[in-house]
């Protein structure tokens, strides 16, 4: 049975930061230390999706939602960020970005870190952008802290 968390956050930069921190704490409670690949990837993906919800999905008086689904059997962490803004066109692919551009790299990062990602309309209004991240298969979560300590101390 998958383990889930569903939270609402203010549609502000502070809300995006709180969503990212919530996910890192939630994963730590389940055995993935903050410096683990899963936790770092989740923080980056959530940071990007939440920033997009804040910048492009902001509706006065509405929050954005974060849903995390940990499915150990499938080896996946599913991240869903939902906002209340209606989009004429949902994101379907990472946009091409130029090196001198100031934005547009967020979905490229999501595309790189996720096994797969996409977006769906949300009823009655808005959209949900989701990404699925692979859990490490070579190291159990409780071994990661020992591996990290070994890497830091060289012992």
């Amino acid at each position: 049975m998958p383990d889930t968390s569903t939270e609402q956050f203010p549609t502000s930069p502070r809300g995006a930061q709180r969503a990212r921190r919530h996910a890192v704490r939630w994963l730590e409670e389940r055995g993935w230390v903050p410096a683990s690949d899963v936790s770092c990837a989740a923080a980056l993906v959530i940071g990007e999706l939440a920033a997009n919800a804040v910048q492009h999905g902001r509706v006065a008086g509405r929050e954005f939602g974060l849903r995390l689904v940990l499915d150990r059997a499938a080896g996946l962490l599913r991240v869903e960020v939902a906002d209340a803004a209606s989009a004429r066109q949902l994101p379907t692919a990472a946009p091409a970005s130029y090196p001198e551009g100031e934005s547009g790299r967020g979905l490229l990062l999501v595309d790189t870190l996720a096994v797969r990602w996409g977006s769906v309309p949300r009823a009655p209004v808005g959209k949900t952008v989701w990404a699925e991240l692979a859990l490490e298969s070579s190291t159990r979560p409780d071994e990661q802290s020992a591996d990290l300590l070994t890497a830091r101390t060289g012992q």
Side-chain angles (χ1 to χ4, degrees):
M1 182 84 140
D3 186 3
T4 64
S5 170
T6 305
E7 297 287 332
Q8 295 289 119
F9 296 95
T11 308
S12 68
R14 177 101 168 113
Q17 179 185 51
R18 286 179 48 210
R20 190 182 71 245
R21 287 182 177 171
H22 166 74
V24 170
R25 278 192 310 273
W26 187 79
L27 284 167
E28 186 173 24
E29 291 168 1
R30 280 140 187 86
W32 280 275
V33 296
S36 68
D37 289 345
V38 170
S39 186
C40 289
L44 287 169
V45 167
I46 291 164
E48 292 301 331
L49 297 182
N52 285 348
V54 167
Q55 183 175 3
H56 305 293
R58 185 178 195 149
V59 173
R62 299 283 185 127
E63 296 180 320
F64 73 90
L66 172 67
R67 183 170 183 250
L68 304 169
V69 180
L70 181 62
D71 189 341
R72 292 178 191 262
L76 293 172
L77 171 66
R78 183 176 172 101
V79 171
E80 299 175 357
V81 175
D83 64 51
S86 293
R88 289 194 178 121
Q89 182 176 358
L90 297 171
T92 57
S97 180
Y98 299 99
E100 64 273 1
E102 291 183 18
S103 65
R105 292 182 192 88
L107 290 179
L108 290 172
L109 180 64
V110 171
D111 192 54
T112 299
L113 293 172
V115 173
R116 63 186 155 267
W117 70 276
S119 62
V120 293
R122 191 179 75 144
V125 65
K127 66 186 172 304
T128 299
V129 182
W130 57 269
E132 293 178 342
L133 307 174
L135 303 174
E136 290 106 349
S137 58
S138 60
T139 307
R140 291 192 339 251
D142 58 341
E143 292 175 345
Q144 289 174 354
S145 57
D147 292 346
L148 183 61
L149 181 59
T150 301
R152 286 186 180 161
T153 62
Q155 299 176 0

